[in-house]
Amino acid sequence: RYDVDPVLEPLPPWWTTEALGSGEASAGVYNDTYVFESSGAGFHPTTGRSMQFTSQPFEGDFEIVARVMNVEFTGDHAFAGLMITEGLENDDAYYSAVVTSHAGLLVHQRDADGATESLVEEGYAPSEWLRIRRVGNQVFSEHSPNGRDWASLHSTMLELSEEVNVGIVSAGVEGPGRARLDNIGVHELQWTCE
């Protein structure tokens, strides 16, 4: 935490921040640290998603990486992490890997438009670095203590359009919460034939 809340600068123009579902959302930058705030309730199997989502559209195969520096404790299930989604409606397909303030690493996904949401909890201690890779309809999530040594978290097949929204997701769940991330990057994956 900062002793005094910093004055946040606007995000770079390729990022768009919005509240999915109910609640409020905001985001800004301070000294290369991205600060996200949300009063959303998170992922819910019947009411859908209620959270902050800062995203950009991206086509084809890619990876998104970020270091989760801090998730403010507003309750056990406050979280911040990564998400790719077909769209911004509650019944759109999505995949998310997050660090929670207490419960460790979680993967949330909706398999197809309108399908029932599933939740996968992995038995790892909270880790600061997260990465999601999309290769066609394959999605892989990984975690790392240092951004160099990666371990598999989860993988699945997920039918997605060529263009998806990809970015940072967070929610206070039990109340308004703040999360800080850095080293955020979205990169095209390029393949070469030998």
Side-chain angles (χ1 to χ4, degrees):
R1 282 185 70 88
Y2 300 107
D3 292 332
V4 176
D5 284 344
V7 176
L8 300 179
E9 299 293 329
L11 295 179
W14 51 87
W15 292 110
T16 300
T17 299
E18 52 200 304
L20 302 184
S22 60
E24 298 179 357
S26 65
V29 183
Y30 174 75
N31 284 350
D32 297 323
T33 297
Y34 287 68
V35 180
F36 303 93
E37 297 189 24
S38 172
S39 60
F43 297 93
H44 194 277
T46 55
T47 59
R49 299 175 287 183
S50 175
M51 60 197 64
Q52 174 282 135
F53 186 43
T54 295
S55 67
Q56 58 180 279
F58 209 93
E59 290 187 7
D61 297 340
F62 64 84
E63 69 174 20
I64 178 170
V65 180
R67 180 174 69 138
V68 180
M69 301 170 65
N70 169 267
V71 179
E72 189 172 78
F73 186 86
T74 54
D76 288 349
H77 301 291
F79 66 82
L82 310 176
M83 184 165 71
I84 62 175
T85 181
E86 182 88 7
L88 303 178
E89 300 301 322
N90 272 333
D91 60 353
D92 287 325
Y94 66 84
Y95 185 93
S96 181
V98 301
V99 176
T100 73
S101 60
H102 179 72
L105 299 174
L106 301 177
V107 173
H108 299 264
Q109 73 178 67
R110 183 179 293 277
D111 294 332
D113 290 2
T116 302
E117 180 187 59
S118 63
L119 168 66
V120 179
E121 180 173 353
E122 298 291 340
Y124 299 103
S127 180
E128 289 193 332
W129 289 79
L130 293 173
R131 176 166 69 185
I132 292 179
R133 292 182 171 189
R134 184 255 177 109
V135 181
N137 286 332
Q138 291 182 296
V139 181
F140 309 87
S141 57
E142 299 168 294
H143 66 110
S144 169
N146 54 26
R148 297 183 305 275
D149 304 310
W150 293 94
S152 176
L153 179 60
H154 182 258
S155 63
T156 190
M157 296 294 293
L158 191 63
E159 291 186 21
L160 295 167
S161 299
E162 182 72 7
E163 181 176 286
V164 295
N165 293 297
V166 55
I168 304 300
V169 64
S170 68
V173 182
E174 283 87 356
R178 178 179 289 183
R180 297 173 181 86
L181 293 83
D182 67 2
N183 289 280
I184 299 171
V186 183
H187 313 286
E188 181 182 5
L189 294 178
Q190 301 196 8
W191 312 100
T192 57
C193 297
E194 297 184 9

